[in-house]
Short mmCIF file of all heavy atoms in Angstrom, two decimals:
data_model
loop_
_atom_site.label_atom_id
_atom_site.label_comp_id
_atom_site.label_asym_id
_atom_site.label_seq_id
_atom_site.Cartn_x
_atom_site.Cartn_y
_atom_site.Cartn_z
N ALA A 273 32.99 3.73 -2.94
CA ALA A 273 33.46 4.09 -1.60
C ALA A 273 32.31 4.28 -0.62
O ALA A 273 32.52 4.65 0.54
CB ALA A 273 34.30 5.37 -1.69
N GLY A 274 31.08 4.09 -1.10
CA GLY A 274 29.92 4.19 -0.22
C GLY A 274 29.38 5.59 -0.05
O GLY A 274 28.53 5.84 0.82
N ALA A 275 29.85 6.53 -0.87
CA ALA A 275 29.34 7.91 -0.77
C ALA A 275 27.90 7.95 -1.32
O ALA A 275 27.58 7.22 -2.25
CB ALA A 275 30.24 8.86 -1.55
N PRO A 276 27.06 8.82 -0.74
CA PRO A 276 25.65 8.85 -1.16
C PRO A 276 25.46 9.60 -2.49
O PRO A 276 24.95 10.72 -2.53
CB PRO A 276 24.97 9.59 0.00
CG PRO A 276 26.05 10.47 0.56
CD PRO A 276 27.36 9.76 0.34
N VAL A 277 25.85 8.97 -3.57
CA VAL A 277 25.69 9.57 -4.90
C VAL A 277 24.84 8.63 -5.74
O VAL A 277 25.21 7.49 -5.98
CB VAL A 277 27.06 9.78 -5.59
CG1 VAL A 277 26.88 10.23 -7.03
CG2 VAL A 277 27.89 10.78 -4.80
N GLU A 278 23.67 9.14 -6.16
CA GLU A 278 22.77 8.35 -7.00
C GLU A 278 23.02 8.70 -8.46
O GLU A 278 23.30 9.87 -8.77
CB GLU A 278 21.33 8.75 -6.71
CG GLU A 278 20.56 7.78 -5.86
CD GLU A 278 19.08 8.10 -5.95
OE1 GLU A 278 18.44 7.66 -6.89
OE2 GLU A 278 18.62 8.85 -5.06
N THR A 279 22.89 7.77 -9.34
CA THR A 279 22.98 8.08 -10.76
C THR A 279 21.75 7.55 -11.49
O THR A 279 21.09 6.63 -11.01
CB THR A 279 24.24 7.48 -11.42
OG1 THR A 279 24.28 6.09 -11.10
CG2 THR A 279 25.51 8.15 -10.95
N SER A 280 21.48 8.17 -12.62
CA SER A 280 20.34 7.70 -13.41
C SER A 280 20.71 7.69 -14.89
O SER A 280 20.89 6.65 -15.48
CB SER A 280 19.14 8.61 -13.15
OG SER A 280 18.05 8.20 -13.90
N CYS A 281 20.87 8.87 -15.51
CA CYS A 281 21.16 8.91 -16.95
C CYS A 281 22.61 8.55 -17.25
O CYS A 281 22.93 8.05 -18.32
CB CYS A 281 20.85 10.28 -17.52
SG CYS A 281 22.03 11.57 -17.03
N ALA A 282 23.52 8.83 -16.30
CA ALA A 282 24.96 8.62 -16.48
C ALA A 282 25.48 9.35 -17.71
O ALA A 282 26.50 8.97 -18.28
CB ALA A 282 25.30 7.13 -16.56
N SER A 283 24.81 10.42 -18.10
CA SER A 283 25.19 11.15 -19.31
C SER A 283 25.25 12.67 -19.10
O SER A 283 25.34 13.42 -20.07
CB SER A 283 24.20 10.87 -20.43
OG SER A 283 24.06 9.51 -20.67
N GLY A 284 25.10 13.11 -17.87
CA GLY A 284 25.11 14.56 -17.63
C GLY A 284 23.86 15.26 -18.09
O GLY A 284 23.87 16.45 -18.40
N LEU A 285 22.73 14.52 -18.11
CA LEU A 285 21.50 15.10 -18.65
C LEU A 285 20.40 15.30 -17.61
O LEU A 285 19.51 16.12 -17.82
CB LEU A 285 20.93 14.17 -19.74
CG LEU A 285 21.76 14.00 -21.00
CD1 LEU A 285 21.22 12.84 -21.82
CD2 LEU A 285 21.73 15.28 -21.81
N CYS A 286 20.43 14.55 -16.51
CA CYS A 286 19.25 14.54 -15.65
C CYS A 286 19.42 15.24 -14.30
O CYS A 286 18.44 15.61 -13.67
CB CYS A 286 18.80 13.10 -15.41
SG CYS A 286 19.87 12.17 -14.29
N GLY A 287 20.64 15.36 -13.81
CA GLY A 287 20.86 16.05 -12.54
C GLY A 287 20.75 15.17 -11.31
O GLY A 287 20.94 15.64 -10.19
N THR A 288 20.48 13.89 -11.48
CA THR A 288 20.32 13.01 -10.33
C THR A 288 21.58 12.98 -9.46
O THR A 288 21.51 12.94 -8.23
CB THR A 288 20.02 11.57 -10.80
OG1 THR A 288 18.86 11.61 -11.61
CG2 THR A 288 19.80 10.63 -9.63
N CYS A 289 22.74 13.01 -10.08
CA CYS A 289 24.00 12.83 -9.34
C CYS A 289 24.59 14.15 -8.84
O CYS A 289 25.68 14.16 -8.26
CB CYS A 289 25.03 12.13 -10.23
SG CYS A 289 25.54 13.13 -11.63
N LYS A 290 23.90 15.24 -9.07
CA LYS A 290 24.44 16.58 -8.78
C LYS A 290 24.95 16.68 -7.34
O LYS A 290 24.27 16.29 -6.41
CB LYS A 290 23.33 17.60 -9.01
CG LYS A 290 23.79 19.02 -8.98
CD LYS A 290 22.70 19.92 -9.55
CE LYS A 290 21.82 20.48 -8.48
NZ LYS A 290 20.90 21.52 -8.94
N VAL A 291 26.15 17.18 -7.18
CA VAL A 291 26.74 17.29 -5.85
C VAL A 291 27.44 18.65 -5.74
O VAL A 291 27.95 19.19 -6.73
CB VAL A 291 27.70 16.10 -5.60
CG1 VAL A 291 28.82 16.05 -6.61
CG2 VAL A 291 28.27 16.13 -4.21
N ARG A 292 27.44 19.18 -4.53
CA ARG A 292 28.08 20.48 -4.31
C ARG A 292 29.59 20.29 -4.19
O ARG A 292 30.05 19.36 -3.53
CB ARG A 292 27.53 21.10 -3.02
CG ARG A 292 28.02 22.51 -2.74
CD ARG A 292 27.43 23.03 -1.43
NE ARG A 292 26.01 23.23 -1.51
CZ ARG A 292 25.44 24.35 -1.99
NH1 ARG A 292 26.20 25.34 -2.42
NH2 ARG A 292 24.13 24.46 -2.04
N HIS A 293 30.36 21.14 -4.83
CA HIS A 293 31.82 21.08 -4.66
C HIS A 293 32.27 22.29 -3.84
O HIS A 293 31.68 23.37 -3.91
CB HIS A 293 32.53 21.00 -6.01
CG HIS A 293 32.26 22.14 -6.95
ND1 HIS A 293 32.92 23.34 -6.89
CD2 HIS A 293 31.38 22.25 -7.98
CE1 HIS A 293 32.47 24.14 -7.84
NE2 HIS A 293 31.54 23.51 -8.52
N LEU A 294 33.31 22.07 -3.08
CA LEU A 294 33.76 23.10 -2.14
C LEU A 294 35.09 23.72 -2.57
O LEU A 294 35.33 24.89 -2.30
CB LEU A 294 33.89 22.51 -0.73
CG LEU A 294 32.58 21.88 -0.20
CD1 LEU A 294 32.82 21.22 1.14
CD2 LEU A 294 31.49 22.93 -0.10
N SER A 295 35.96 22.94 -3.20
CA SER A 295 37.18 23.52 -3.74
C SER A 295 37.76 22.57 -4.78
O SER A 295 37.40 21.39 -4.84
CB SER A 295 38.21 23.81 -2.64
OG SER A 295 38.69 22.61 -2.09
N GLY A 296 38.66 23.11 -5.58
CA GLY A 296 39.26 22.31 -6.65
C GLY A 296 38.74 22.75 -8.01
O GLY A 296 37.68 23.36 -8.11
N GLN A 297 39.52 22.41 -9.02
CA GLN A 297 39.16 22.80 -10.39
C GLN A 297 38.39 21.66 -11.05
O GLN A 297 38.74 20.48 -10.86
CB GLN A 297 40.44 23.08 -11.17
CG GLN A 297 40.27 24.22 -12.14
CD GLN A 297 41.48 24.33 -13.03
OE1 GLN A 297 42.59 23.97 -12.63
NE2 GLN A 297 41.28 24.83 -14.23
N ILE A 298 37.38 22.00 -11.82
CA ILE A 298 36.50 20.97 -12.38
C ILE A 298 36.38 21.09 -13.89
O ILE A 298 36.27 22.19 -14.44
CB ILE A 298 35.09 21.07 -11.75
CG1 ILE A 298 35.18 20.76 -10.26
CG2 ILE A 298 34.12 20.11 -12.41
CD1 ILE A 298 34.00 21.21 -9.49
N ASP A 299 36.39 19.94 -14.54
CA ASP A 299 36.12 19.86 -15.97
C ASP A 299 34.64 19.46 -16.11
O ASP A 299 34.30 18.29 -15.98
CB ASP A 299 37.05 18.82 -16.60
CG ASP A 299 36.71 18.59 -18.06
OD1 ASP A 299 36.12 19.48 -18.68
OD2 ASP A 299 37.02 17.50 -18.57
N HIS A 300 33.77 20.46 -16.30
CA HIS A 300 32.34 20.18 -16.40
C HIS A 300 32.00 19.62 -17.78
O HIS A 300 32.35 20.22 -18.81
CB HIS A 300 31.53 21.46 -16.17
CG HIS A 300 31.60 21.97 -14.76
ND1 HIS A 300 30.81 21.45 -13.75
CD2 HIS A 300 32.35 22.94 -14.20
CE1 HIS A 300 31.09 22.10 -12.62
NE2 HIS A 300 32.01 23.00 -12.86
N GLN A 301 31.29 18.50 -17.79
CA GLN A 301 30.93 17.87 -19.07
C GLN A 301 29.42 17.61 -19.17
O GLN A 301 28.99 16.86 -20.02
CB GLN A 301 31.67 16.52 -19.19
CG GLN A 301 33.16 16.63 -19.31
CD GLN A 301 33.59 17.01 -20.72
OE1 GLN A 301 32.91 16.71 -21.69
NE2 GLN A 301 34.72 17.68 -20.85
N ASP A 302 28.65 18.24 -18.29
CA ASP A 302 27.20 17.99 -18.29
C ASP A 302 26.50 18.90 -19.30
O ASP A 302 27.12 19.77 -19.91
CB ASP A 302 26.65 18.26 -16.89
CG ASP A 302 26.78 19.73 -16.55
OD1 ASP A 302 25.85 20.50 -16.88
OD2 ASP A 302 27.83 20.15 -16.01
N PHE A 303 25.19 18.67 -19.42
CA PHE A 303 24.38 19.46 -20.35
C PHE A 303 23.22 20.16 -19.63
O PHE A 303 22.25 20.57 -20.28
CB PHE A 303 23.82 18.55 -21.45
CG PHE A 303 24.90 17.79 -22.15
CD1 PHE A 303 25.21 16.50 -21.76
CD2 PHE A 303 25.63 18.38 -23.16
CE1 PHE A 303 26.22 15.80 -22.38
CE2 PHE A 303 26.65 17.69 -23.78
CZ PHE A 303 26.96 16.40 -23.39
N ILE A 304 23.30 20.24 -18.31
CA ILE A 304 22.16 20.81 -17.60
C ILE A 304 22.50 22.00 -16.71
O ILE A 304 21.66 22.84 -16.47
CB ILE A 304 21.44 19.76 -16.72
CG1 ILE A 304 22.47 19.01 -15.89
CG2 ILE A 304 20.57 18.86 -17.51
CD1 ILE A 304 21.84 18.26 -14.76
N LEU A 305 23.73 22.06 -16.20
CA LEU A 305 24.06 23.14 -15.28
C LEU A 305 24.46 24.38 -16.07
O LEU A 305 25.23 24.29 -17.03
CB LEU A 305 25.23 22.73 -14.36
CG LEU A 305 25.04 21.46 -13.53
CD1 LEU A 305 26.28 21.21 -12.66
CD2 LEU A 305 23.80 21.57 -12.66
N ASP A 306 23.96 25.54 -15.65
CA ASP A 306 24.43 26.76 -16.29
C ASP A 306 25.68 27.25 -15.55
O ASP A 306 26.09 26.66 -14.54
CB ASP A 306 23.32 27.82 -16.37
CG ASP A 306 22.83 28.26 -15.00
OD1 ASP A 306 23.62 28.19 -14.03
OD2 ASP A 306 21.66 28.67 -14.88
N GLU A 307 26.25 28.33 -16.05
CA GLU A 307 27.53 28.78 -15.48
C GLU A 307 27.40 29.13 -14.00
O GLU A 307 28.31 28.90 -13.22
CB GLU A 307 28.09 29.96 -16.28
CG GLU A 307 28.65 29.55 -17.64
CD GLU A 307 29.59 28.32 -17.56
OE1 GLU A 307 30.45 28.29 -16.67
OE2 GLU A 307 29.43 27.40 -18.38
N ASN A 308 26.27 29.69 -13.60
CA ASN A 308 26.05 30.02 -12.19
C ASN A 308 26.05 28.78 -11.33
O ASN A 308 26.71 28.70 -10.29
CB ASN A 308 24.70 30.72 -12.00
CG ASN A 308 24.83 32.20 -12.19
OD1 ASN A 308 25.95 32.72 -12.14
ND2 ASN A 308 23.72 32.85 -12.44
N GLU A 309 25.28 27.77 -11.78
CA GLU A 309 25.19 26.53 -11.00
C GLU A 309 26.55 25.82 -10.93
O GLU A 309 26.89 25.20 -9.93
CB GLU A 309 24.15 25.59 -11.63
CG GLU A 309 22.74 26.09 -11.48
CD GLU A 309 21.76 25.22 -12.26
OE1 GLU A 309 21.93 25.07 -13.48
OE2 GLU A 309 20.84 24.68 -11.65
N ARG A 310 27.31 25.93 -11.98
CA ARG A 310 28.61 25.25 -12.00
C ARG A 310 29.59 25.85 -10.99
O ARG A 310 30.57 25.21 -10.63
CB ARG A 310 29.21 25.33 -13.41
CG ARG A 310 28.53 24.38 -14.37
CD ARG A 310 29.12 24.45 -15.76
NE ARG A 310 28.56 23.41 -16.61
CZ ARG A 310 28.94 23.19 -17.86
NH1 ARG A 310 29.87 23.97 -18.41
NH2 ARG A 310 28.39 22.23 -18.56
N GLN A 311 29.31 27.07 -10.53
CA GLN A 311 30.15 27.65 -9.49
C GLN A 311 30.05 26.82 -8.20
O GLN A 311 30.98 26.79 -7.40
CB GLN A 311 29.73 29.09 -9.17
CG GLN A 311 29.78 30.04 -10.35
CD GLN A 311 31.16 30.14 -10.96
OE1 GLN A 311 32.15 30.24 -10.24
NE2 GLN A 311 31.23 30.08 -12.27
N SER A 312 28.90 26.16 -8.00
CA SER A 312 28.67 25.43 -6.74
C SER A 312 28.48 23.93 -6.91
O SER A 312 28.69 23.18 -5.97
CB SER A 312 27.41 25.98 -6.04
OG SER A 312 27.50 27.37 -5.87
N PHE A 313 28.06 23.51 -8.11
CA PHE A 313 27.70 22.10 -8.28
C PHE A 313 28.43 21.46 -9.45
O PHE A 313 28.90 22.15 -10.36
CB PHE A 313 26.18 21.95 -8.52
CG PHE A 313 25.34 22.36 -7.35
CD1 PHE A 313 24.79 23.63 -7.28
CD2 PHE A 313 25.11 21.48 -6.30
CE1 PHE A 313 24.02 24.02 -6.18
CE2 PHE A 313 24.35 21.85 -5.21
CZ PHE A 313 23.81 23.13 -5.15
N MET A 314 28.47 20.13 -9.41
CA MET A 314 29.01 19.36 -10.53
C MET A 314 28.22 18.06 -10.65
O MET A 314 27.51 17.67 -9.71
CB MET A 314 30.48 19.03 -10.33
CG MET A 314 30.72 18.02 -9.23
SD MET A 314 32.43 17.50 -9.07
CE MET A 314 32.77 16.81 -10.68
N THR A 315 28.34 17.40 -11.79
CA THR A 315 27.68 16.11 -12.00
C THR A 315 28.77 15.04 -12.19
O THR A 315 29.34 14.92 -13.28
CB THR A 315 26.77 16.16 -13.25
OG1 THR A 315 27.56 16.58 -14.35
CG2 THR A 315 25.62 17.11 -13.06
N PRO A 316 29.07 14.28 -11.16
CA PRO A 316 30.20 13.35 -11.23
C PRO A 316 30.01 12.18 -12.19
O PRO A 316 30.95 11.45 -12.43
CB PRO A 316 30.34 12.86 -9.78
CG PRO A 316 29.01 13.09 -9.17
CD PRO A 316 28.44 14.30 -9.84
N CYS A 317 28.81 12.00 -12.76
CA CYS A 317 28.66 10.91 -13.73
C CYS A 317 29.45 11.20 -15.00
O CYS A 317 29.85 10.27 -15.70
CB CYS A 317 27.19 10.65 -14.06
SG CYS A 317 26.39 11.95 -14.99
N VAL A 318 29.67 12.49 -15.31
CA VAL A 318 30.43 12.83 -16.52
C VAL A 318 31.57 13.82 -16.25
O VAL A 318 32.48 13.94 -17.05
CB VAL A 318 29.52 13.41 -17.63
CG1 VAL A 318 28.62 12.34 -18.21
CG2 VAL A 318 28.71 14.59 -17.10
N SER A 319 31.46 14.58 -15.16
CA SER A 319 32.45 15.63 -14.90
C SER A 319 33.50 15.10 -13.93
O SER A 319 33.30 14.12 -13.23
CB SER A 319 31.76 16.86 -14.32
OG SER A 319 30.77 17.31 -15.22
N ARG A 320 34.62 15.81 -13.84
CA ARG A 320 35.73 15.30 -13.04
C ARG A 320 36.64 16.45 -12.62
O ARG A 320 36.52 17.57 -13.10
CB ARG A 320 36.51 14.26 -13.83
CG ARG A 320 36.92 14.70 -15.21
CD ARG A 320 37.42 13.55 -16.06
NE ARG A 320 38.68 13.04 -15.57
CZ ARG A 320 38.86 11.79 -15.14
NH1 ARG A 320 37.87 10.95 -15.17
NH2 ARG A 320 40.03 11.39 -14.71
N GLY A 321 37.57 16.12 -11.73
CA GLY A 321 38.54 17.10 -11.30
C GLY A 321 39.64 17.27 -12.34
O GLY A 321 39.86 16.40 -13.18
N CYS A 322 40.31 18.41 -12.26
CA CYS A 322 41.41 18.68 -13.21
C CYS A 322 42.74 18.58 -12.47
O CYS A 322 43.46 19.57 -12.35
CB CYS A 322 41.28 20.07 -13.81
SG CYS A 322 39.80 20.30 -14.78
#
Side-chain angles (χ1 to χ4, degrees):
V277 173
E278 257 195 84
T279 52
S280 179
C281 72
S283 305
L285 295 167
C286 73
T288 303
C289 67
K290 190 166 94 170
V291 60
R292 185 181 292 275
H293 59 83
L294 303 176
S295 68
Q297 216 188 332
I298 295 163
D299 174 24
H300 291 279
Q301 294 281 332
D302 66 88
F303 305 97
I304 49 164
L305 303 181
D306 62 28
E307 286 312 314
N308 272 343
E309 290 173 302
R310 285 180 173 183
Q311 301 301 316
S312 307
F313 294 97
M314 70 175 300
T315 55
C317 69
V318 289
S319 302
R320 51 192 292 119
C322 297

